[in-house]
Amino acid sequence: MIEVLPIRLLTDQDALLFGPLNVSLGKLGRSGFPVAPGIVLTPPHLKLKTTLENFNFGSKEVFQQSLTLVKKEINKIPVPEILTREVGKHKQFLLNGEKIKGVKAVWSALLNFWLDQIKARLWNNGFFTGITDNLDPKVVIFIKDIKSHGIAYEDSFQDDVMVSTKSGKLHPTDLKRIVELIKLANKKLFIPNEYEWMVDKGVKLVGIKPYTFSPVTMNPSTVTLSETKGIVPDQNDKSKSAVKVFFDLSLGLTIEKEVDGVYIASEKIFDLNKPNDSFENLVFKVVESAMTFPNSPVFLKLADKSEGMGRVRGSLRLLHQKSLFDPMVDALDFARHKKGLTNIHIVIPFVRGVNELLQVKRELSTKKLMRKASLEYWMEVAVPENVINMEEYLMAGIDGVVLNLDELIAHLNGFDPIEADLAFYKNEVEGLIKFLEDGIRLLHKSKIPFIAYGSLNLYPKVLEFLVEKGVYGVVAEKYEAHSTKDLLYQVERRIVLRNS
């Protein structure tokens, strides 16, 4: 059973069921603000719960096939009569920023949204009692002839309203109206929010999200009233940087559409003390990432189990410990040969010499994981020796390089990164930058791409150096990904202006 209410009827008593932000949208509508007509729905909790109980996810096995079956069962849930009744004669809808035609299509999109939420919980925490509890209620907006759509918020840092257009083009008159509405809405609700708007026979508010302050400006499709001066830029242009951003999905899950690639450090997943469960988790993570982002590369770094500086680790340990190396090979074999996922590539970790690289390549080849166009070998550069002897590694045959900046600076500056008292040495990046220049120049000459990994990525000096030297991509934690894209754009722009 679901609960449905028109947006304008939501009051404070409904906050627990329909969400406080949706209630705020209802308050604005009753106060005379142009809030679009629509409804708010709660998920079919009981139906979802009983459906999932028929499947066993307890051991976090490779359950992609089970999830497919779950999706089929959930999609069989019929359109509730109450939804059909509340929708009435409306035929077109706005849901999650997408235009949808027909009640059946809306219901299917809603079920897929709630299933994605369940999938995220399943991935992060495994199956647990109450996994279907407290799923987000959703707003469905009735539309007729939508001209443009986007978000806006009042940026106290710039003392202006930022308006970002997601689709369509925005007329200066509508822009002015949006700016006025956002300022008035914040005063009415007493707290700043991010507002979703559309132009459909006038400007209308269609959603409210919490506003998170960021000193990084929005993309070029974002304009302020003071910037327009009567000229409307192309609202479909989005800020894009030449440098790609790879999501580090080693831990957790992100529901994200626009990704340049995925990076998975398997040592964060595979546990020698729990080989079966952690192996299943690793396979699931690799398969799900490759299937979710079929047009993006997925880099799987073989496990680098480290017990401190100077210990047996990385490629050397993989070569001498079958219980660590074989599960990596089995995971790759399953994903590539049984699932047919050819966007997965291998990162060979912590190499101390060319012979180690050649031995790992040989072992992979014997397991039918030969280097080819659809299976690239990338090498992690984590020790200064790798940079000094870069030419020998390139001659041995690699397709790309992953610069582990945290490891490199630890070895260069002579400190153990595990020791918190010595962490201040991490800020001394000038030596690292000078040391990397010759190696990067050789990579460019050989047309070998490189990506950067580690917390040093976002240090201003390091990031500017990497961008200026033509880094192919940077690996970012999922919570840093969006800000990293904007930051890269700003750095690239600054470099271009400086060199022009």
Side-chain angles (χ1 to χ4, degrees):
M1 185 66 181
I2 68 170
E3 298 288 341
V4 182
L5 269 182
I7 295 172
R8 286 178 178 269
L9 299 183
L10 294 174
T11 63
D12 289 333
Q13 288 74 25
D14 301 311
L16 191 61
L17 190 60
F18 292 100
L21 292 175
N22 295 328
V23 168
S24 295
L25 190 62
K27 284 182 181 178
L28 292 178
R30 291 193 302 277
S31 300
F33 282 77
V35 173
I39 56 176
V40 185
L41 303 88
T42 61
H45 168 70
L46 189 58
K47 288 277 189 182
L48 294 172
K49 180 182 178 182
T50 53
T51 301
L52 261 69
E53 284 176 349
N54 295 326
F55 296 87
N56 177 24
F57 299 107
S59 61
K60 246 187 178 180
E61 73 259 28
V62 184
F63 45 73
Q64 179 61 36
Q65 292 179 352
S66 297
L67 284 174
T68 303
L69 294 174
V70 168
K71 187 173 182 178
K72 288 181 180 179
E73 288 297 318
I74 288 177
N75 283 332
K76 290 179 183 178
I77 300 175
V79 179
E81 291 183 11
I82 188 174
L83 175 58
T84 305
R85 188 167 61 250
E86 290 291 342
V87 165
K89 296 180 180 180
H90 294 282
K91 302 295 182 183
Q92 296 188 78
F93 310 93
L94 184 70
L95 175 64
N96 287 335
E98 301 290 333
K99 291 188 286 186
I100 301 175
K101 290 185 178 181
V103 180
K104 287 185 178 179
V106 166
W107 181 241
S108 178
L110 286 166
L111 290 174
N112 287 332
F113 171 81
W114 289 318
L115 181 59
D116 283 341
Q117 274 201 302
I118 294 170
K119 188 192 296 186
R121 295 178 179 184
L122 199 59
W123 200 338
N124 286 328
N125 304 310
F127 186 82
F128 58 91
T129 303
I131 195 170
T132 60
D133 292 345
N134 301 316
L135 296 174
D136 293 341
K138 290 302 294 178
V139 173
V140 177
I141 299 296
F142 307 147
I143 62 175
K144 292 181 179 179
D145 184 21
I146 187 169
K147 299 296 184 183
S148 58
H149 164 259
I151 60 172
Y153 65 85
E154 189 171 8
D155 190 341
S156 56
F157 184 75
Q158 298 195 29
D159 194 27
D160 212 340
V161 173
M162 314 299 290
V163 182
S164 178
T165 305
K166 302 295 184 182
S167 64
K169 292 188 176 182
L170 192 59
H171 192 273
T173 305
D174 294 328
L175 173 62
K176 183 178 180 180
R177 177 62 173 151
I178 291 170
V179 170
E180 292 171 351
L181 281 176
I182 300 313
K183 289 182 176 180
L184 289 172
N186 279 342
K187 289 179 181 178
K188 180 67 179 178
L189 299 176
F190 301 108
I191 56 173
N193 293 290
E194 181 182 286
Y195 300 87
E196 188 179 357
W197 55 265
M198 71 174 183
V199 177
D200 185 353
K201 296 186 177 180
V203 174
K204 296 174 182 175
L205 300 178
V206 298
I208 300 179
K209 297 178 182 178
Y211 166 62
T212 304
F213 170 77
S214 172
V216 180
T217 59
M218 296 175 75
N219 59 47
S221 65
T222 302
V223 294
T224 66
L225 187 61
S226 59
E227 289 175 335
T228 57
K229 297 180 182 178
I231 300 173
V232 181
D234 184 352
Q235 302 297 328
N236 289 319
D237 288 342
K238 294 184 178 180
S239 67
K240 290 184 179 179
S241 67
V243 181
K244 298 184 181 298
V245 177
F246 298 94
F247 281 24
D248 187 348
L249 297 188
S250 308
L251 300 173
L253 165 70
T254 185
I255 303 299
E256 176 64 42
K257 293 181 180 179
E258 296 180 2
V259 302
D260 296 319
V262 174
Y263 190 89
I264 299 173
S266 58
E267 67 269 11
K268 295 180 181 179
I269 304 170
F270 186 73
D271 187 348
L272 287 166
N273 296 317
K274 299 176 181 178
N276 293 329
D277 289 346
S278 60
F279 170 74
E280 291 167 355
N281 194 11
L282 173 63
V283 173
F284 170 70
K285 184 67 65 72
V286 173
V287 169
E288 185 70 4
S289 297
M291 293 183 74
T292 304
F293 311 116
N295 299 318
S296 303
V298 175
F299 293 102
L300 176 64
K301 176 187 168 187
L302 304 181
D304 175 20
K305 290 293 183 181
S306 174
E307 285 146 11
M309 293 185 74
R311 302 293 181 92
V312 176
R313 58 176 290 194
S315 293
L316 182 63
R317 185 165 181 174
L318 286 169
L319 291 168
H320 290 84
Q321 189 171 359
K322 278 190 165 293
S323 61
L324 184 61
F325 185 71
D326 287 348
M328 304 293 110
V329 172
D330 292 341
L332 285 162
D333 178 66
F334 178 83
R336 289 188 57 86
H337 299 147
K338 294 185 180 178
K339 287 294 183 180
L341 301 170
T342 56
N343 58 328
I344 301 170
H345 306 289
I346 299 172
V347 178
I348 300 172
F350 201 86
V351 179
R352 285 190 175 101
V354 178
N355 287 335
E356 281 186 11
L357 174 66
L358 292 172
Q359 288 181 56
V360 173
K361 288 179 61 177
R362 193 177 300 116
E363 290 294 328
L364 290 170
S365 297
T366 59
K367 304 292 185 179
K368 298 182 180 180
L369 293 168
M370 291 81 70
R371 178 188 175 213
K372 49 189 172 183
S374 64
L375 179 58
E376 297 179 352
Y377 286 174
W378 287 56
M379 186 186 83
E380 181 187 40
V381 171
V383 295
E385 185 273 345
N386 301 155
V387 180
I388 294 169
N389 292 322
M390 184 62 72
E391 190 170 2
E392 281 77 7
Y393 287 104
L394 297 180
M395 291 175 63
I398 54 176
D399 298 291
V401 162
V402 178
L403 296 177
N404 190 325
L405 299 178
D406 291 347
E407 290 276 6
L408 280 168
I409 199 168
H411 288 91
L412 275 172
N413 289 5
F415 69 96
D416 190 338
I418 297 175
E419 296 293 332
D421 293 341
L422 301 177
F424 65 91
Y425 282 117
K426 206 171 187 179
N427 297 318
E428 307 295 330
V429 298
E430 288 79 6
L432 174 66
I433 289 172
K434 290 179 182 178
F435 180 73
L436 289 175
E437 283 186 347
D438 289 339
I440 290 176
R441 192 177 298 115
L442 182 59
L443 290 173
H444 280 309
K445 185 178 179 181
S446 305
K447 297 182 179 179
I448 298 294
F450 70 97
I451 63 179
Y453 174 87
S455 60
L456 280 182
N457 275 347
L458 300 183
Y459 279 42
K461 284 185 181 179
V462 176
L463 186 62
E464 187 163 333
F465 167 77
L466 291 171
V467 172
E468 200 164 18
K469 296 300 180 181
V471 64
Y472 176 68
V474 297
V475 180
E477 297 285 352
K478 58 182 181 179
Y479 56 84
E480 294 175 334
H482 291 291
S483 60
T484 301
K485 288 181 180 180
D486 291 332
L487 189 57
L488 282 167
Y489 172 77
Q490 296 298 325
V491 172
E492 288 177 3
R493 186 180 179 185
R494 187 163 61 247
I495 291 173
V496 170
L497 292 173
R498 188 177 64 205
N499 295 334
S500 60

